[in-house]
Amino acid sequence: VSKQMLEQVLRDLQPLCTAEQQFIEKFFQLSQDAADLQVLEVSVRTMSSPGQCPSPSNCLLFFFLRLEEPTTQLLSEIFSCLEPELKGFLDVCNKVHQFGCLQVLVTLNDSIFEMWGSSSALPSSFLNTVLGNMLLLAKSSFNKCIGTLCKEIEEAKMPSKMKGGILPSVSRFEEFVNFSEEVFRTARRRGELDKAHLRLASSVFSSINSLSSANLKVNTDMVMMENFHHIHCFLCQKKIHCLEGKKREAKQRYSEHMEKYVIKYLGQPLEKLNHFFEGVKARVAQGVKEEEVSFQLAYSKQELRKVIEKYPGKEVKRALETLYRKIHKYLSPEENLLPVVWHAMEQEFIHQYQEFEDLIQRCYAGSGIAMDFTVEDLLSYFNSISLSN
C-alpha cells in the first residue's frame, strides 16, 4: 500500500512542478541566455529614474535576474514545504515494514529515471533536485538498515535448546534475500542491493565460523556442514550473479566440514584399532624400519592380535548401526544430508580399512594376521544399515 501511495505522490508532483517551472521561466523570461539577460537587466535599469527603485513589477523581475539560479530559488519559496513533507512521508513508508526502506529506494530510483526519460520533464528541474535529495536520504536509510541487519546476524546467539539444524542467522539472511529480490525484481538499478547482499553474506559466513567457540550440544562440524550446505543450495536456487563467489565458497566450506565430521566420527567404531595403527605409523615416521616394528613391545604381533580380536565382523556392524542412529538423530531432516554423509563415511571407512591392511602387510609380513572382516563385508554392512533405516 505504501509503495502505491508513494508512486501516486510522485506521479502527481511531476506535472505540477513542471508546469509551475515553465510558467515562471516564461513569465519572467528566465530561460534567456546570458547575453539576453544582460540586455534585460540594462532595460530594467533605464525604466526607472536615477536614484530610484524600478516599479514593483520591474523590481521583481530585476531581483530574479540577479540570482544565479532564479528559477530554483523562486520554486523553493513557492514549494518550501515540499521537501520536509516528502521527508516525513518517506519516514512513514520506512516504518510500515521492517525492510520498507528497500521499497522506498526502488520507487524513488525508478521515478527519477522515468522523469529523465520523459519529454515533459525539464532537464534541470526543481523537482529533480528535491527527489535527488530524497534519494540520498533513502540510500542512507537503506545503508543503516543493512548495517543493523549485519550486526544482528553477526551477534546472533545460538538458542540454548538448539542441538543443530539451520541457524537463526542463516534464516534471517534468506528472509532478507527473498524479500529484497522480490522488491527489486523490476527495478532499473540494483547496485545498492548487490553491495548489501555481499555485506550480509559475509556476515552470515562470519556468524557460522564463530560457532567453534559456541557451547553446542552437538558436533560443531556437523552444524557448520549443514548450514553451509543450506546456503549453497539456496544460492543455487536464487541465481544471484553478485553472490556466485559466495556460492562457491559455501560449497567448499560445506565439503571441508563434512570431511572433518566424517573423519572425527569414524574413529569411534574401530577406536582401538585406529589408535594402534596410529602408533605404528608414528614409529615408522620416527625412523623404525617397517620390518622391525613388530619387535616393539607395544606393537608386537601378539598385541596386534589382541586388538583385532576385539573387532569381529558382528561387532563392527553393530558399532556402525549405533553410529548411523546417532547421525540420524542429529542431522536435520530438511537438509537430507544423511545419505550423502553415510556414503562419505563408507568411503572413508573402506580407505581406513585398506590402510590398516597395507600396514599389516608391510610391518607384519608372513604373520598370517588378518582382520575378521573384508571390504566386501563392509560394503554389505553399510548397504544393509541404510536399507533397513
Side-chain angles (χ1 to χ4, degrees):
V1 177
S2 60
K3 173 182 180 292
Q4 295 169 347
M5 290 178 65
L6 180 56
E7 288 174 342
Q8 185 62 49
V9 167
L10 296 176
R11 277 197 301 269
D12 291 345
L13 277 176
Q14 182 181 345
L16 176 65
C17 291
T18 300
E20 191 68 25
Q21 179 173 339
Q22 289 173 335
F23 168 77
I24 289 171
E25 290 178 347
K26 182 176 181 181
F27 185 82
F28 293 110
Q29 302 181 48
L30 297 179
S31 59
Q32 304 291 332
D33 60 28
D36 291 340
L37 290 178
Q38 289 180 359
V39 172
L40 283 168
E41 184 178 342
V42 171
S43 300
V44 171
R45 288 183 183 279
T46 58
M47 289 179 191
S48 58
S49 304
Q52 295 180 347
C53 181
S55 63
S57 60
N58 288 335
C59 186
L60 182 63
L61 174 60
F62 175 71
F63 173 75
F64 283 112
L65 286 173
R66 297 291 297 171
L67 288 173
E68 185 178 351
E69 297 179 8
T71 307
T72 302
Q73 181 67 31
L74 186 53
L75 285 168
S76 296
E77 294 294 330
I78 295 173
F79 295 108
S80 60
C81 64
L82 179 58
E83 196 159 321
E85 288 290 342
L86 268 178
K87 184 179 178 181
F89 182 58
L90 294 187
D91 286 340
V92 172
C93 292
N94 286 337
K95 292 174 183 176
V96 170
H97 186 277
Q98 183 181 8
F99 301 135
C101 56
L102 276 75
Q103 192 65 73
V104 169
L105 181 61
V106 170
T107 305
L108 278 171
N109 253 325
D110 288 353
S111 294
I112 290 174
F113 265 94
E114 286 174 10
M115 283 179 62
W116 286 349
S118 171
S119 58
S120 61
L122 298 176
S124 304
S125 74
F126 163 75
L127 185 57
N128 275 349
T129 304
V130 172
L131 294 184
N133 292 338
M134 294 301 102
L135 185 58
L136 289 176
L137 288 174
K139 287 182 177 181
S140 177
S141 297
F142 176 77
N143 288 331
K144 285 179 183 177
C145 173
I146 299 303
T148 301
L149 188 56
C150 284
K151 187 177 180 182
E152 178 188 329
I153 287 173
E154 289 170 10
E155 297 178 356
K157 304 289 185 184
M158 276 286 290
S160 57
K161 296 182 181 180
M162 189 171 182
K163 295 181 179 180
I166 305 309
L167 300 170
S169 57
V170 174
S171 300
R172 198 82 174 96
F173 172 71
E174 277 191 278
E175 177 191 354
F176 175 84
V177 171
N178 283 327
F179 179 82
S180 62
E181 284 297 313
E182 180 60 29
V183 170
F184 277 77
R185 184 169 49 86
T186 58
R188 295 168 181 259
R189 296 178 61 188
R190 55 173 292 138
E192 297 291 329
L193 181 63
D194 287 344
K195 291 176 187 175
H197 279 341
L198 286 169
R199 284 180 66 189
L200 287 165
S202 296
S203 294
V204 169
F205 280 43
S206 175
S207 173
I208 299 173
N209 290 336
S210 67
L211 284 177
S212 56
S213 58
N215 184 25
L216 292 173
K217 295 182 179 180
V218 291
N219 182 274
T220 304
D221 285 310
M222 184 198 77
V223 179
M224 297 173 89
M225 169 190 72
E226 285 198 309
N227 280 274
F228 279 119
H229 176 265
H230 188 83
I231 290 176
H232 176 256
C233 292
F234 175 71
L235 293 180
C236 284
Q237 174 194 357
K238 302 308 290 187
K239 297 178 181 177
I240 301 172
H241 180 70
C242 71
L243 292 178
E244 281 297 309
K246 290 296 182 183
K247 183 178 75 175
R248 290 191 295 270
E249 184 181 347
K251 184 178 181 180
Q252 180 185 346
R253 298 299 305 280
Y254 143 66
S255 300
E256 287 173 1
H257 287 290
M258 183 170 73
E259 184 178 350
K260 290 179 182 178
Y261 176 61
V262 166
I263 290 173
K264 183 168 183 177
Y265 271 82
L266 260 184
Q268 294 177 353
L270 305 176
E271 188 172 1
K272 289 184 173 61
L273 258 179
N274 194 59
H275 181 71
F276 183 89
F277 283 111
E278 283 296 323
V280 170
K281 288 190 288 184
R283 292 298 182 274
V284 173
Q286 290 166 6
V288 177
K289 293 181 179 179
E290 291 180 349
E291 61 270 19
E292 294 178 0
V293 170
S294 62
F295 296 106
Q296 301 272 318
L297 186 61
Y299 301 101
S300 65
K301 296 174 185 178
Q302 184 179 0
E303 288 299 318
L304 175 57
R305 287 191 179 96
K306 286 181 181 178
V307 176
I308 286 178
E309 286 174 0
K310 296 179 183 293
Y311 294 100
K314 290 181 180 180
E315 287 300 319
V316 171
K317 185 179 180 182
R318 189 176 294 114
L320 288 174
E321 288 171 341
T322 301
L323 178 62
Y324 185 92
R325 286 193 295 271
K326 188 173 183 181
I327 297 170
H328 182 269
K329 178 181 178 181
Y330 290 115
L331 281 177
S332 52
E334 62 266 25
E335 288 306 298
N336 196 31
L337 279 176
L338 182 57
V340 180
V341 171
W342 191 239
H343 178 69
M345 286 201 161
E346 178 184 65
Q347 296 299 307
E348 187 61 31
F349 204 100
I350 291 171
H351 172 73
Q352 195 176 77
Y353 173 88
Q354 290 171 335
E355 185 180 30
F356 294 166
E357 282 281 283
D358 181 58
L359 286 169
I360 291 173
Q361 293 298 322
R362 285 158 46 198
C363 301
Y364 302 89
S367 65
I369 299 174
M371 286 182 276
D372 187 57
F373 51 92
T374 64
V375 170
E376 288 71 23
D377 291 331
L378 285 177
L379 290 171
S380 174
Y381 299 159
F382 273 95
N383 188 48
S384 63
I385 291 170
S386 59
L387 289 175
S388 60
N389 287 276

